[in-house]
Amino acid sequence: MRLIIMGPPGAGKGTQATFIATTWGIPAISTGDIFRANLAQGTPLGLEARGYMEAGEYVPDSVTNSMVRNRLLEADTTPGFLLDGYPRTLAQVAELDSMLADAGQHLDCVVVLTVDAEEIVQRLLARAVKEGRADDTEEVIRRRQEVYAEQTEPLIEVYRERRLLCEVDGMGEVDEVTSRISDALTQVSEA
Ligand code: ADP
């Protein structure tokens, strides 16, 4: 299975991505996690991404695209993969299309978690306290929602037109959302 999981910041993508990856035996590739790991280790990539992340802005496409291209060449992606946090811009969609075409592969499904905007901000504020993420101040949280609406939401229509979209209600308990995603992906795999 080759999957994307999308949704606004705070929609619970990371939590659900871990579950999907385990169930389907594929790696969950989170661009946010990769950037954070690089930042923690002080690599050149981390230093480059830092300012953007702390401001709630997207890291430039050129940087993100080459990072993902390299990651998708690793052997563990042979049975498939789940991308969490990529693509986030139309230019990234085009780049992913070319990566897949080069490999003679295609996407099976784009899972979109739909959530209530106000509830999301509350979740993110709670997470900021719990995890102490430097990019989780209230101002940055708002900016991230704006950037998502401007740059990433349009991708939903692109994948809808390609008939790849699985919209899943992301509200409620984690387990409920997990079983909705499971049902949706089981349908895709049996189609
Ligand atoms: P969120 O909490 O919004 O789901 P992530 O953990 O996925 O955020 O990503 C954290 C930050 O890393 C983003 O705000 C952005 O600065 C950067 N980032 C992650 N993925 C991408 C991407 N595909 N393109 C550009 N920047 C990205």
Side-chain angles (χ1 to χ4, degrees):
M1 290 277 264
R2 294 188 184 82
L3 309 170
I4 295 172
I5 186 162
M6 280 181 62
K13 294 187 297 288
T15 308
Q16 299 299 339
T18 306
F19 150 77
I20 297 169
T22 308
T23 307
W24 295 89
I26 52 178
I29 301 173
S30 158
T31 45
D33 283 352
I34 299 174
F35 283 131
R36 274 186 292 277
N38 276 275
L39 216 147
Q41 291 162 19
T43 69
L45 178 66
L47 293 177
E48 191 167 6
R50 178 183 195 146
Y52 299 101
M53 294 174 73
E54 286 178 351
E57 306 293 336
Y58 287 168
V59 176
D61 284 337
S62 57
V63 176
T64 310
N65 285 334
S66 65
M67 183 177 89
V68 173
R69 190 177 272 277
N70 289 332
R71 180 64 187 86
L72 291 184
L73 291 174
E74 287 179 35
D76 64 337
T77 63
T78 305
F81 52 78
L82 169 66
L83 291 171
D84 164 12
Y86 184 93
R88 261 180 156 101
T89 65
L90 292 169
Q92 292 179 12
V93 171
E95 191 66 22
L96 177 61
D97 286 346
S98 108
M99 292 176 213
L100 291 168
D102 288 351
Q105 297 169 345
H106 64 270
L107 290 171
D108 294 293
C109 180
V110 177
V111 176
V112 177
L113 295 179
T114 54
V115 285
D116 174 78
E118 188 46 42
E119 166 133 357
I120 275 187
V121 174
Q122 297 310 319
R123 276 192 201 173
L124 284 173
L125 289 170
R127 184 174 79 180
V129 173
K130 223 171 77 186
E131 296 180 10
R133 272 176 51 162
D135 61 348
D136 271 353
T137 67
E138 189 160 358
E139 190 193 348
V140 172
I141 286 170
R142 283 220 192 81
R143 180 59 193 150
R144 284 181 20 230
Q145 304 290 342
E146 264 174 33
V147 173
Y148 177 85
E150 285 164 13
Q151 300 206 45
T152 304
E153 233 166 40
L155 275 54
I156 294 175
E157 290 316 309
V158 171
Y159 287 121
R160 192 194 308 282
E161 280 170 18
R162 296 186 191 181
R163 303 194 175 282
L164 285 174
L165 216 58
C166 286
E167 281 177 293
V168 173
D169 179 2
M171 303 298 288
E173 296 300 318
V174 169
D175 287 358
E176 290 170 358
V177 178
T178 300
S179 74
R180 287 177 203 136
I181 296 175
S182 264
D183 291 348
L185 291 180
T186 302
Q187 278 190 11
V188 168
S189 73
E190 287 170 355

